[in-house]
Amino acid sequence: MLALQGDVREHAAALEKLGHEVVLVKRPEHFEDLAAMVLPGGESTTLSMLLDSSGVRDPLEAWVQGNRPTFGTCAGLVMLASTVEDGRSDQKTMAGLGISARRNGYGRQRFSFETLAAIPALGEPMEAVFIRAPRITSVADDTEVLATIDTDHGAEPVAVRRGNVIACSFHPELTDDTRFHALLMEIARSASGAEDH
Amino acid sequence: MSSDSNTQNSRTTGTFRVKRGLADMLRGGVIMDVVNPTQAKIAEDAGAVAVMALERVPSDIRRDGGVARMSDPQMIVEIQEAVTIPVMAKARIGHFAEAQILASLDVDYIDESEVLTPADEANHIDKWAFEVPFVCGATNLGEALRRISEGACMIRSKGEAGTGNVVEAVRHLRSIMGDIKKIGVADEVELYQWAKELRAPIEAIQEIAETGKLPVPMFCAGGISTPADASLVMQLGAEACFVGSGIFKSSQPELMARAIVEATTHYEDASVVAKVSTGLGEAMKGLEVATLETRLAERGW
């Protein structure tokens, strides 16, 4: 998983709990033999800068655009979006998902919240922790909505998938719920199976 | 602002998980002291994960003397408008009215800070009463646990702010990390002695014995002024760095800021730290701690 900045430890703990080995990616040479990639929560402007200076942006972009198994949360979702609103003008994204994301779309920290997200594809609703979270403002036809929360304007998307790339605007890694991490590894299994045949 | 209320659509704000969560997101990053929107912009451009808005950096507070208070709200608002990253601000120890004002400005984190002149010599702010999360300084594990029991969601070493001298931060980190390790190998009965010695709740000591770590993120502050300092404190177990005077009192703040960000990320890779340490110009001048008239770290109870 990308380990330049952010809540790396929580994601690593979730993956390890599911019995997977975790490689911390900070440099281009760390990309060898990876089955799946996690982009953690953190500060997206900082992460964007560190991607460039560490030389990780190019291999990561190739990874995402090659439809390799990827899961991003919060800042990770911003990195995977096609367009970012209220970002910095020099902020680049990977376009792994057909979505627009607005940074801090729910407001400053005082408005950060917990709620239950409906996630029919994975069963029971999920505890969802939103921290200065990005808001998904549009979803293209090629991208599937996995989870929603209720708002004044009706149900709003908070988790999405396109091909082998998934992302959510909240932080499942801050709870004990590992269903997203399990989904990622399931995607990784079928992707490697497809390659073998 | 009024569209998101406490309970609307079964949303809950201000939970411990939400408050601590922002600290988790800042891990591996650098939080920079800034005194105006221009500096805030420089900090954001250099990759800061957050800025601390204050009127004077600690080295100037030290030089000027007098009572150091919460910053002018106008200045905080201007900094909030200048950047997209989280904005923190400082309140005096025990000054819950300053904290209320900062909360009403929607700052993202409040630092109940010994760098400002304390307002209460016995009590810290009841931080559970706020939806905005708090960070507090600590010189040892007991102090850290008392702050956590009052509701702090992030602990930073105090160091000796405004000196450009990392020695006190190292002492505090080593003391906190060392005691956590010792509690990890203590037996059940000894935990009560630890609680007594550290003047900390037994439940907190028991939790550390079980998990081997502080219940909230542990950052480093106070005296970090070079990339090598950042690498040192990260290797000693800090999870992120606060840099105060070290950036804007150096000869080339843009370069220094950027270099400290890189060194915090790649702290275990000396070749990267060496590369970013090259050609930075002069670091802040710095002070010998033994010669100080005021020891800021002694504030807080």
Side-chain angles (χ1 to χ4, degrees):
Chain A
M1 62 173 302
L2 188 68
L4 294 169
Q5 192 270 316
D7 70 336
V8 176
R9 191 171 65 208
E10 286 73 10
H11 277 290
L15 290 166
E16 279 162 0
K17 194 167 137 191
L18 295 171
H20 302 288
E21 193 193 335
V22 176
V23 177
L24 301 182
V25 174
K26 287 187 172 189
R27 306 177 66 82
E29 57 267 32
H30 298 157
F31 273 80
E32 275 170 39
D33 298 329
L34 302 180
M37 174 65 75
V38 172
L39 308 180
E43 193 48 50
S44 65
T45 55
T46 305
L47 282 164
S48 183
M49 191 205 90
L50 290 169
L51 279 179
D52 287 325
S53 62
S54 63
V56 168
R57 181 181 297 279
D58 286 346
L60 183 58
E61 207 162 74
W63 177 280
V64 170
Q65 282 164 10
N67 192 31
R68 306 289 302 277
T70 310
F71 173 37
T73 61
C74 196
L77 175 137
V78 174
M79 284 191 263
L80 291 169
S82 291
T83 52
V84 178
E85 302 160 40
D86 295 345
R88 288 167 51 90
S89 52
D90 57 350
Q91 198 165 347
K92 291 170 268 182
T93 62
M94 311 266 166
L97 296 161
I99 57 166
S100 264
R102 188 158 82 239
R103 288 187 57 217
N104 308 328
Y106 297 93
R108 292 186 178 279
Q109 174 63 14
R110 190 150 73 88
F111 304 103
S112 291
F113 61 96
E114 293 185 25
T115 190
L116 280 180
I119 176 153
L122 297 181
E124 292 294 303
M126 181 178 276
E127 280 182 64
V129 183
F130 291 79
I131 315 267
R132 284 174 49 98
R135 197 164 199 155
I136 299 172
T137 52
S138 72
V139 182
D141 290 342
D142 62 2
T143 298
E144 173 195 358
V145 172
L146 292 179
T148 57
I149 58 169
D150 289 331
T151 72
D152 292 347
H153 325 289
E156 189 170 291
V158 292
V160 288
R161 172 176 182 172
R162 182 168 81 183
N164 293 332
V165 178
I166 52 178
C168 44
S169 49
F170 56 97
H171 294 282
E173 74 278 12
L174 294 185
T175 68
D176 293 331
D177 199 321
T178 53
R179 282 180 286 167
F180 267 104
H181 296 87
L183 172 63
L184 173 70
M185 297 319 291
E186 195 184 298
I187 290 171
R189 259 191 308 277
S190 33
S192 75
E195 261 170 37
D196 291 344
H197 294 301
Chain B
M1 204 188 288
S2 59
S3 67
D4 290 343
S5 79
N6 235 342
T7 53
Q8 194 177 18
N9 296 320
S10 57
R11 284 186 194 180
T12 322
T13 53
T15 63
F16 186 71
R17 201 153 56 173
V18 161
K19 296 201 297 190
R20 182 216 140 115
L22 182 57
D24 289 321
M25 298 312 140
L26 302 176
R27 290 212 314 260
V30 181
I31 300 145
M32 301 183 191
D33 279 4
V34 297
V35 300
N36 57 45
T38 312
Q39 287 189 354
K41 213 50 210 148
I42 291 172
E44 187 182 52
D45 288 348
V49 287
V51 291
M52 176 74 70
L54 72 177
E55 236 156 34
R56 291 175 289 171
V57 293
S59 63
D60 289 340
I61 291 176
R62 211 173 256 297
R63 190 198 58 205
D64 299 349
V67 175
R69 309 182 178 91
M70 176 191 82
S71 299
D72 182 345
Q74 172 72 29
M75 185 273 271
I76 294 168
V77 170
E78 283 170 13
I79 288 174
Q80 286 174 320
E81 284 165 0
V83 295
T84 63
I85 56 179
V87 175
M88 305 185 177
K90 290 182 193 286
R92 282 182 266 175
I93 289 174
H95 206 315
F96 54 85
E98 284 188 350
Q100 288 161 353
I101 293 167
L102 295 175
S104 78
L105 298 174
D106 292 345
V107 303
D108 295 296
Y109 241 91
I110 297 174
D111 184 0
E112 185 182 18
S113 178
E114 72 285 356
V115 167
L116 306 183
T117 310
D120 188 322
E121 291 185 332
N123 306 293
H124 281 251
I125 297 170
D126 171 14
K127 293 163 276 287
W128 296 113
F130 290 79
E131 287 198 322
V132 174
F134 278 73
V135 51
C136 287
T139 58
N140 58 54
L141 183 58
E143 214 178 342
L145 293 176
R146 289 195 292 281
R147 297 297 85 80
I148 294 167
S149 70
E150 296 155 3
C153 299
M154 179 204 298
I155 292 295
R156 55 171 177 76
S157 66
K158 284 184 179 172
E160 195 54 43
T163 61
N165 189 338
V166 79
V167 65
E168 291 298 302
V170 167
R171 185 209 310 282
H172 301 160
L173 275 178
R174 282 204 185 272
S175 166
I176 293 168
M177 297 301 173
D179 281 353
I180 289 174
K181 274 185 223 149
K182 286 182 210 153
I183 289 173
V185 296
D187 64 39
E188 295 268 321
V189 179
E190 289 169 327
L191 297 182
Y192 290 93
Q193 178 57 26
W194 273 103
K196 208 159 64 181
E197 210 170 284
L198 296 176
R199 293 191 291 131
I202 180 66
E203 295 76 16
I205 301 287
Q206 285 163 336
E207 189 183 334
I208 288 175
E210 206 172 296
T211 63
K213 55 184 205 275
L214 215 55
V216 303
M218 169 77 204
F219 291 5
C220 182
I224 298 172
S225 44
T226 65
D229 288 349
S231 167
L232 173 69
V233 300
M234 293 296 286
Q235 291 188 59
L236 287 173
E239 297 180 275
C241 296
F242 282 86
V243 184
S245 325
I247 288 169
F248 290 99
K249 291 290 174 188
S250 71
S251 65
Q252 301 187 75
E254 289 90 347
L255 288 182
M256 185 61 85
R258 181 76 190 250
I260 292 179
V261 169
E262 295 286 346
T264 302
T265 294
H266 300 285
Y267 66 89
E268 79 293 29
D269 188 339
S271 65
V272 175
V273 182
K275 199 171 127 205
V276 301
S277 300
T278 308
L280 289 181
E282 266 181 62
M284 72 177 284
K285 184 151 175 295
L287 296 168
E288 174 63 51
V289 173
T291 64
L292 298 177
E293 278 178 29
T294 311
R295 300 283 288 263
L296 300 178
E298 288 169 2
R299 297 168 167 176
W301 358 101

